[in-house]
Amino acid sequence: MDVTTSEETVFIQTSKLYYKKWSVENPRKTIVLLHDSLGCTVLWREWPEELAMALNCNVISYDRRGYGKSENYTIKRPIDYLEQEAVILNDLLQYWQVEQPVLFGFSDGASVATIYAGMYPQNTTLLIVEGVHVRIEKETLQGVREAEEMLHNTQIAKALQKYHGDKVYDLYYAWTKTWLSNAHQSWNIEHFIPRITVPILVIQGELDEFGSMNQVNAFDNASGVVQKCIVSGAKHTAHKEEKAFVFSTITQFVNTHIHEKMD
């Protein structure tokens, strides 16, 4: 199967955003990838092309405000900044003329995908979340503190400059300072979950350092079918640590539920 790629920047609301698309002939659906708190499109590596080929779907990944090849974003993040990102995602989908996508979000991207599926249930086909945050836990805060220590004690900033350029410190502190602030401790998006009517796949590493099983079990309140996948021995980045297993689980989930909808 041939996969063609294209990339573009588009001005949405107040920011110039970068995205890349992997296209196939006669796609069944479009899968939208939403990256984590330190990620971007490039860091999905081979996942977009392989998903496009395995599922005969178009795949789109974009860099959120301040990340990757998108414009820097230095405004202090409000408590509802991920909700704002869900609205931006809706604007992007309208620009792309994509209806009812399959959403696959990782970490912060999983939170954005969850919010979106709750805000716009009629415009979502399937929801896949990995390492999702729906509430603040002690594990979440400890994981963020350790990430902040890594910034000062390792070469991670230099490594990330390859992907984010001179925006690294801005995005790193925007993430850690926001989540560790007193104002952010009341953050919770669980109220979006009962509004989600589509099938959901929740993936979490058994040893995820950013959240407990409470994050996964919160999806028991969804209105749609929920499938849970706990990846043995994996930490937060299960799709990298146990790629073959996670990839197979995702493709089976999508094939099953798209087939059911087509029937």
Side-chain angles (χ1 to χ4, degrees):
M1 179 186 297
D2 291 331
V3 179
T4 59
T5 61
S6 58
E7 54 188 342
E8 187 181 339
T9 56
V10 57
F11 199 80
I12 297 291
Q13 294 190 20
T14 60
S15 299
K16 186 181 291 184
L17 304 179
Y18 165 86
Y19 71 90
K20 186 171 183 177
K21 183 176 182 179
W22 292 258
S23 301
V24 299
E25 289 189 19
N26 303 313
R28 299 157 75 196
K29 280 289 179 182
T30 295
I31 302 170
V32 178
L33 304 180
L34 297 104
H35 64 76
D36 58 303
S37 58
L38 295 176
C40 60
T41 293
V42 173
L43 287 171
W44 282 106
R45 307 296 186 189
E46 69 280 357
W47 269 84
E49 182 171 6
E50 292 185 1
L51 284 173
M53 293 178 66
L55 293 168
N56 192 34
C57 289
N58 290 338
V59 178
I60 301 176
S61 175
Y62 70 101
D63 295 347
R64 292 197 303 276
R65 297 176 295 176
Y67 292 84
K69 297 180 182 179
S70 289
E71 200 170 43
N72 201 1
Y73 182 71
T74 57
I75 298 171
K76 183 178 179 180
R77 293 181 179 180
I79 193 171
D80 66 343
Y81 80 96
L82 293 178
E83 286 91 328
Q84 293 178 9
E85 294 294 342
V87 175
I88 290 173
L89 171 58
N90 191 55
D91 290 346
L92 280 167
L93 289 168
Q94 291 180 29
Y95 174 78
W96 296 326
Q97 297 183 317
V98 170
E99 296 182 355
Q100 297 184 317
V102 174
L103 300 180
F104 175 17
F106 168 48
S107 194
D108 275 17
S111 301
V112 175
T114 299
I115 295 165
Y116 181 89
M119 281 184 171
Y120 309 99
Q122 74 286 351
N123 195 33
T124 309
T125 294
L126 301 174
L127 175 63
I128 303 167
V129 292
E130 177 196 353
V132 65
H133 316 300
V134 297
R135 66 175 77 161
I136 298 286
E137 295 186 288
K138 65 179 187 299
E139 292 90 347
T140 315
L141 298 176
Q142 183 58 30
V144 174
R145 290 189 192 99
E146 291 175 1
E148 192 170 54
E149 289 175 8
M150 283 181 61
L151 178 65
H152 300 296
N153 300 326
T154 71
Q155 295 296 309
I156 190 169
K158 185 175 181 180
L160 288 172
Q161 282 178 354
K162 179 179 178 181
Y163 309 107
H164 302 291
D166 59 6
K167 302 188 294 291
V168 170
Y169 283 94
D170 285 338
L171 71 86
Y172 216 110
Y173 284 126
W175 169 48
T176 60
K177 299 302 183 187
T178 298
W179 281 73
L180 295 175
S181 69
N182 290 333
H184 204 69
Q185 301 316 297
S186 61
W187 179 84
N188 189 302
I189 60 168
E190 290 177 275
H191 57 284
F192 288 103
I193 294 175
R195 306 179 198 174
I196 303 174
T197 58
V198 301
I200 307 170
L201 172 61
V202 187
I203 303 166
Q204 180 152 306
E206 176 190 21
L207 306 175
D208 193 320
E209 61 272 38
F210 287 95
S212 74
M213 280 295 295
N214 290 329
Q215 308 284 351
V216 176
N217 293 334
F219 286 85
D220 291 343
N221 293 321
S223 298
V225 175
V226 179
Q227 177 182 333
K228 300 176 185 178
C229 173
I230 308 304
V231 184
S232 178
K235 294 185 177 181
H236 192 54
T237 57
H239 72 285
K240 296 180 180 179
E241 298 168 57
E242 297 292 341
K243 182 195 169 184
F245 174 71
V246 174
F247 190 89
S248 175
T249 301
I250 289 173
T251 54
Q252 289 177 25
F253 174 78
V254 173
N255 280 328
T256 296
H257 291 287
I258 287 183
H259 179 71
E260 287 177 355
K261 285 180 176 290
M262 293 175 71
D263 289 348

